[in-house]
CSV table of all heavy atoms in Angstrom, one decimal:
chain,number,residue,atom,x,y,z
A,52,ILE,N,153.9,53.7,82.3
A,52,ILE,CA,153.3,52.5,81.6
A,52,ILE,C,153.8,52.6,80.2
A,52,ILE,O,154.1,51.6,79.5
A,52,ILE,CB,151.8,52.5,81.7
A,52,ILE,CG1,151.3,52.2,83.1
A,52,ILE,CG2,151.1,51.6,80.6
A,52,ILE,CD1,149.9,52.3,83.4
A,53,ARG,N,153.8,53.8,79.6
A,53,ARG,CA,154.3,53.9,78.2
A,53,ARG,C,155.8,53.4,78.1
A,53,ARG,O,156.2,52.9,77.1
A,53,ARG,CB,154.1,55.3,77.7
A,53,ARG,CG,152.6,55.6,77.4
A,53,ARG,CD,152.5,57.0,76.7
A,53,ARG,NE,151.1,57.3,76.6
A,53,ARG,CZ,150.3,57.9,77.4
A,53,ARG,NH1,150.8,58.4,78.5
A,53,ARG,NH2,149.0,58.1,77.2
A,54,GLN,N,156.6,53.9,79.0
A,54,GLN,CA,158.0,53.5,79.0
A,54,GLN,C,158.1,52.0,79.1
A,54,GLN,O,158.9,51.4,78.4
A,54,GLN,CB,158.8,54.2,80.2
A,54,GLN,CG,159.1,55.7,80.0
A,54,GLN,CD,159.6,56.2,81.2
A,54,GLN,OE1,159.5,55.7,82.4
A,54,GLN,NE2,160.4,57.3,81.0
A,55,LEU,N,157.4,51.3,80.0
A,55,LEU,CA,157.5,49.9,80.2
A,55,LEU,C,157.0,49.2,79.0
A,55,LEU,O,157.6,48.2,78.5
A,55,LEU,CB,156.7,49.5,81.4
A,55,LEU,CG,157.2,49.9,82.8
A,55,LEU,CD1,156.3,49.5,83.9
A,55,LEU,CD2,158.6,49.2,83.0
A,56,HIS,N,155.9,49.8,78.3
A,56,HIS,CA,155.4,49.2,77.1
A,56,HIS,C,156.4,49.2,76.0
A,56,HIS,O,156.7,48.2,75.3
A,56,HIS,CB,154.1,50.0,76.7
A,56,HIS,CG,153.7,49.5,75.4
A,56,HIS,ND1,154.0,50.1,74.2
A,56,HIS,CD2,152.8,48.5,75.0
A,56,HIS,CE1,153.4,49.5,73.1
A,56,HIS,NE2,152.7,48.6,73.6
A,57,ASP,N,157.1,50.4,75.8
A,57,ASP,CA,158.2,50.5,74.8
A,57,ASP,C,159.3,49.5,75.0
A,57,ASP,O,159.8,48.9,74.1
A,57,ASP,CB,158.6,51.9,74.7
A,57,ASP,CG,157.6,52.9,74.2
A,57,ASP,OD1,156.6,52.4,73.7
A,57,ASP,OD2,157.8,54.1,74.3
A,58,GLU,N,159.7,49.4,76.3
A,58,GLU,CA,160.7,48.5,76.6
A,58,GLU,C,160.3,47.0,76.3
A,58,GLU,O,161.1,46.2,75.7
A,58,GLU,CB,161.2,48.5,78.1
A,58,GLU,CG,162.1,49.7,78.4
A,58,GLU,CD,162.6,49.6,79.8
A,58,GLU,OE1,162.9,48.5,80.3
A,58,GLU,OE2,162.6,50.7,80.5
A,59,HIS,N,159.1,46.7,76.6
A,59,HIS,CA,158.6,45.3,76.4
A,59,HIS,C,158.4,45.1,74.9
A,59,HIS,O,158.8,44.0,74.4
A,59,HIS,CB,157.3,45.2,77.1
A,59,HIS,CG,156.6,43.9,76.9
A,59,HIS,ND1,157.0,42.7,77.4
A,59,HIS,CD2,155.4,43.6,76.2
A,59,HIS,CE1,156.3,41.7,77.1
A,59,HIS,NE2,155.3,42.3,76.3
A,60,VAL,N,157.8,46.0,74.2
A,60,VAL,CA,157.5,45.7,72.8
A,60,VAL,C,158.7,45.9,71.8
A,60,VAL,O,159.0,45.0,71.0
A,60,VAL,CB,156.3,46.6,72.3
A,60,VAL,CG1,156.1,46.5,70.8
A,60,VAL,CG2,155.0,46.3,73.0
A,61,TYR,N,159.4,47.0,71.9
A,61,TYR,CA,160.5,47.4,71.0
A,61,TYR,C,161.8,46.7,71.4
A,61,TYR,O,162.6,46.4,70.4
A,61,TYR,CB,160.6,48.9,70.9
A,61,TYR,CG,159.3,49.5,70.4
A,61,TYR,CD1,158.7,50.5,71.1
A,61,TYR,CD2,158.7,49.1,69.2
A,61,TYR,CE1,157.5,51.1,70.7
A,61,TYR,CE2,157.5,49.6,68.8
A,61,TYR,CZ,156.9,50.7,69.5
A,61,TYR,OH,155.7,51.1,69.1
A,62,GLU,N,162.1,46.5,72.6
A,62,GLU,CA,163.4,46.0,73.0
A,62,GLU,C,163.3,44.5,73.4
A,62,GLU,O,164.3,43.9,73.6
A,62,GLU,CB,164.0,46.8,74.2
A,62,GLU,CG,164.2,48.3,73.8
A,62,GLU,CD,164.7,49.1,74.8
A,62,GLU,OE1,165.1,48.6,75.9
A,62,GLU,OE2,164.6,50.4,74.8
A,63,GLY,N,162.1,44.1,73.6
A,63,GLY,CA,161.9,42.7,74.1
A,63,GLY,C,162.5,42.4,75.4
A,63,GLY,O,162.8,41.2,75.7
A,64,HIS,N,162.6,43.4,76.2
A,64,HIS,CA,163.2,43.3,77.6
A,64,HIS,C,162.1,43.0,78.5
A,64,HIS,O,161.2,43.8,78.8
A,64,HIS,CB,163.9,44.6,77.9
A,64,HIS,CG,164.6,44.5,79.2
A,64,HIS,ND1,164.2,45.4,80.3
A,64,HIS,CD2,165.6,43.8,79.8
A,64,HIS,CE1,164.9,45.2,81.3
A,64,HIS,NE2,165.8,44.2,81.0
A,65,ILE,N,162.1,41.8,79.1
A,65,ILE,CA,161.0,41.3,80.0
A,65,ILE,C,161.6,40.8,81.3
A,65,ILE,O,161.8,39.6,81.4
A,65,ILE,CB,160.1,40.3,79.3
A,65,ILE,CG1,159.7,40.8,78.0
A,65,ILE,CG2,158.9,40.0,80.2
A,65,ILE,CD1,158.9,39.7,77.1
A,66,PRO,N,161.8,41.6,82.3
A,66,PRO,CA,162.3,41.1,83.6
A,66,PRO,C,161.2,40.2,84.2
A,66,PRO,O,160.0,40.4,83.9
A,66,PRO,CB,162.5,42.3,84.4
A,66,PRO,CG,162.7,43.4,83.5
A,66,PRO,CD,161.9,43.1,82.3
A,67,PRO,N,161.5,39.3,85.2
A,67,PRO,CA,160.6,38.4,85.7
A,67,PRO,C,159.5,39.1,86.6
A,67,PRO,O,158.3,38.6,86.7
A,67,PRO,CB,161.4,37.4,86.5
A,67,PRO,CG,162.7,38.1,86.7
A,67,PRO,CD,162.9,39.0,85.5
A,68,GLU,N,159.8,40.2,87.2
A,68,GLU,CA,158.8,40.9,88.1
A,68,GLU,C,157.9,41.8,87.3
A,68,GLU,O,156.9,42.4,87.9
A,68,GLU,CB,159.5,41.7,89.1
A,68,GLU,CG,160.2,42.9,88.7
A,68,GLU,CD,161.6,42.7,88.1
A,68,GLU,OE1,162.1,41.6,88.2
A,68,GLU,OE2,162.2,43.7,87.6
Side-chain angles (χ1 to χ4, degrees):
I52 290 171
R53 286 185 184 95
Q54 286 175 335
L55 291 175
H56 174 269
D57 290 348
E58 280 186 42
H59 176 71
V60 171
Y61 300 122
E62 298 175 16
H64 182 242
I65 308 170
E68 73 275 355

